[in-house]
Amino acid sequence: QVQLVESGGGLVQAGGSLRLSCAASGSTFSILNIGWYRQAPGKQREWVAGISDGGVTNYEDSVKGRFTISRDNAKNTVYLQMNSLKPEDTAVYYCNAQLSRRVAGRSNYWGQGTQVTVSS
């Protein structure tokens, strides 16, 4: 099993910053990639940012230059630093781990989600 525990969400004014954390436990040695996704009310879940086991990062166009994904291997934690937040960033943010092999019959795991609300 892989467990993902998210923290850092909250309410912030436009232009402010938040730092989301995704702490992984369990079969963390099998994790290849970690991605951040978000889902706003009435919209599909969309990919926001990702980081590979090789350290390659990618960002969705609307957050490029404002968000930074990073990792702390010692803590098995991935972060999403969000700066210059906009009301349209309001969503539930989820982290997802892609595994190199199936663990308990699964090749990816999701966190529980954390609410980010940006007021205008």
Side-chain angles (χ1 to χ4, degrees):
Q1 291 283 335
V2 173
Q3 292 81 41
L4 304 175
V5 179
E6 303 170 1
S7 61
L11 175 64
V12 65
Q13 292 185 346
S17 298
L18 285 173
R19 190 192 196 194
L20 306 184
S21 299
C22 176
S25 61
S27 300
T28 58
F29 57 88
S30 298
I31 297 176
L32 291 175
N33 308 302
I34 294 287
W36 284 98
Y37 295 74
R38 66 187 180 187
Q39 187 167 22
K43 298 183 67 177
Q44 288 189 309
R45 188 172 300 183
E46 66 174 349
W47 172 80
V48 176
I51 186 167
S52 73
D53 57 340
V56 177
T57 60
N58 289 283
Y59 300 93
E60 194 272 329
D61 288 342
S62 68
V63 308
K64 188 176 182 180
R66 299 188 296 121
F67 291 10
T68 302
I69 188 170
S70 61
R71 63 185 179 185
D72 185 335
N73 291 332
K75 296 182 178 180
N76 290 125
T77 300
V78 172
Y79 303 97
L80 186 67
Q81 178 67 47
M82 306 185 296
N83 298 326
S84 301
L85 283 163
K86 304 174 181 179
E88 50 263 44
D89 295 318
T90 295
V92 178
Y93 283 71
Y94 301 88
C95 63
N96 173 267
Q98 180 184 353
L99 310 184
S100 62
R101 64 182 181 89
R102 292 184 178 183
V103 176
R106 299 172 61 184
S107 60
N108 68 83
Y109 285 81
W110 291 94
Q112 80 286 350
T114 185
Q115 177 71 50
V116 172
T117 302
V118 184
S119 62
S120 59

